[in-house]
Amino acid sequence: RPRVLSGIQPTADSFHLGNYLGAIRQWVPFQDSHDAFYMVVDLHAITVPQDPKQLRERTRISAAELLAAGLDADRCTLFVQSHVPEHAQLAWVMNCMTGFGEAARMTQFKDKSAKQGTDRTTVGLFTYPVLQVADILLYQADAVPVGEDQRQHVELTRDIAQRFNSTFGETFTVPKPFIVKETAKIVDLQDPTIKMSKSASTPKGIVNLLDDPKTSAKKIRSAVTDTGTEVRFDEVEKPGVSNLLTIHSALSGTSIAALEERFAGRGYGDLKKEVAEVLVEFVTPFQQRVRGYLDDPAELDAVLARGADKARAVASRTLAETYDRVGFLPPV
Ligand code: ATP
Ligand code: MG
């Protein structure tokens, strides 16, 4: 079976709607068509400062959210990145395959480091896309389901895989990004020019899946739209309204065209009210499922331990082959 791999950072108390619609939701059906590897990327999380106790908690919450979103540990390999040491080990080799200038061109690094200033920006943040290269190549992934903001990192992975293969002989599968256009970039509710983001959004701009549904409904009702009145999908002229239509359509399964028809001659207020309803209908049972998983942390940890064993079986093979290809003397 072809392979998929993706990951998500445990850098907040909850995933947001962009994470869910842009990435996690696409992960679910791959469990039936692909050999699927999904992980909570705690190594990536420490590229910015983290409180240790909070990081541990958020790692468990993240796993619980992934299960609640429809991942099934019997049909996929669900694990925590730091449980599989091969990620850090392969990352070193990949660091030595990556040009400094090439890494410096990564737009996420430029954005995040510009916000922090050079003295507070870590070398880890700089090489984080290269760790991602290692994450993907370790599993010989054919496809990487992500949001639009990760496209550049998957392109980097392709370049480095090809470079390694042509230098040392066929070793890695060259992966393709899998990006669902409609939901690839859910924008911030207060600033539709930026993506909804754990690190960059203000509290009013982000819909967290684990927030009180009433709070989320209120945020949707106060989302920025525009001075017009027509409910129409137009990402250039009406980014705020288009975002709400995208969210409604993705959660309710109603096409955008059908929604435009339904809201013809009605105002933004009606649209927002209905988006809020659709959202509450989704998050309420989702939150219940998350609480169920968190009620039994020992079972959750056991699920993650089994996932790490399955992941290591694959990762250790790729790492051994890579070490051999680059010429490391095997230990006897
Ligand atoms: P951070 O701001 O700390 O980078 P994040 O919100 O971008 O956090 P990540 O854990 O980096 O979350 O990303 C997890 C997945 O969610 C990735 O596949 C990413 O492309 C996707 N994603 C993140 N934000 C959005 C968004 N606004 N719309 C669609 N997909 C998104
Ligand atoms: Mg991100």
Side-chain angles (χ1 to χ4, degrees):
R1 293 219 290 187
R3 294 238 175 94
V4 281
L5 170 121
S6 201
I8 186 155
Q9 304 192 68
T11 41
D13 292 330
S14 169
F15 296 151
H16 57 73
L17 208 46
N19 297 140
Y20 177 67
L21 296 179
I24 302 166
R25 204 167 76 129
Q26 328 303 338
W27 299 5
V28 178
F30 275 122
Q31 295 179 111
D32 299 316
S33 56
H34 285 59
D35 199 6
F37 294 82
Y38 300 126
M39 56 179 177
V40 180
V41 292
D42 52 354
L43 299 182
H44 286 283
I46 64 162
T47 55
V48 293
Q50 301 295 335
D51 172 73
K53 182 166 174 280
Q54 195 176 45
L55 179 60
R56 248 186 302 275
E57 270 167 21
R58 287 173 167 181
T59 300
R60 276 213 189 98
I61 295 173
S62 298
E65 284 184 279
L66 293 178
L67 291 165
L71 296 193
D72 171 355
D74 291 327
R75 288 189 293 140
C76 72
T77 300
L78 173 65
F79 63 103
V80 174
Q81 188 184 27
S82 65
H83 293 179
V84 181
E86 284 81 359
H87 288 262
Q89 293 174 292
L90 187 65
W92 177 254
V93 178
M94 294 304 147
N95 271 318
C96 299
M97 295 296 299
T98 308
F100 185 85
E102 195 174 29
R105 281 195 294 277
M106 295 296 114
T107 57
Q108 277 214 19
F109 171 74
K110 287 198 269 190
D111 292 348
K112 287 190 182 180
S113 59
K115 230 173 292 160
Q116 296 181 330
T118 13
D119 283 343
R120 287 182 51 222
T121 297
T122 65
V123 175
L125 187 68
F126 183 69
T127 64
Y128 132 88
V130 185
L131 175 57
Q132 213 172 313
V133 169
D135 296 340
I136 297 166
L137 298 185
L138 262 184
Y139 299 94
Q140 307 285 5
D142 298 277
V144 186
V146 285
E148 181 60 41
D149 63 304
Q150 290 296 329
R151 184 187 294 276
Q152 195 187 28
H153 294 165
V154 183
E155 291 300 332
L156 176 71
T157 308
R158 291 174 57 83
D159 290 345
I160 296 187
Q162 278 158 350
R163 185 175 309 153
F164 191 99
N165 288 347
S166 62
T167 310
F168 297 108
E170 277 306 309
T171 309
F172 295 112
T173 303
V174 180
K176 286 199 177 67
F178 178 88
I179 298 173
V180 174
K181 191 170 151 279
E182 289 76 13
T183 51
K185 187 182 175 189
I186 300 297
V187 297
D188 185 285
L189 294 183
Q190 290 300 316
D191 179 0
T193 64
I194 62 168
K195 81 169 189 89
M196 192 178 282
S197 149
K198 291 190 214 111
S199 58
S201 287
T202 59
K204 281 188 75 182
I206 190 169
V207 176
N208 289 312
L209 301 182
L210 298 182
D211 278 351
D212 175 10
K214 283 201 201 78
T215 308
S216 297
K218 210 163 115 195
K219 288 185 192 177
I220 296 277
R221 285 197 303 269
S222 48
V224 165
T225 44
D226 56 68
T227 53
T229 53
E230 199 190 352
V231 174
R232 179 166 53 84
F233 188 86
D234 180 338
E235 282 174 307
V236 179
E237 297 293 329
K238 293 172 169 283
V241 173
S242 301
N243 197 41
L244 293 175
L245 284 169
T246 297
I247 293 169
H248 189 316
S249 173
L251 290 176
S252 68
T254 315
S255 72
I256 302 261
L259 290 174
E260 284 176 332
E261 209 168 299
R262 186 187 307 171
F263 288 100
R266 294 163 67 189
Y268 295 159
D270 282 1
L271 171 66
K272 288 176 172 178
K273 197 165 154 263
E274 214 177 288
V275 173
E277 282 165 13
V278 168
L279 178 73
V280 170
E281 249 167 71
F282 167 71
V283 296
T284 306
F286 174 83
Q287 294 181 1
Q288 220 161 5
R289 292 194 294 273
V290 171
R291 277 194 294 272
Y293 290 114
L294 290 176
D295 276 347
D296 194 350
E299 170 58 21
L300 191 56
D301 290 355
V303 164
L304 294 172
R306 282 197 296 277
D309 282 345
K310 284 201 280 177
R312 278 202 86 171
V314 177
S316 60
R317 245 180 290 140
T318 309
L319 184 75
E321 194 186 342
T322 310
Y323 272 18
D324 182 57
R325 288 288 159 104
V326 301
F328 292 161
L329 181 68
V332 283

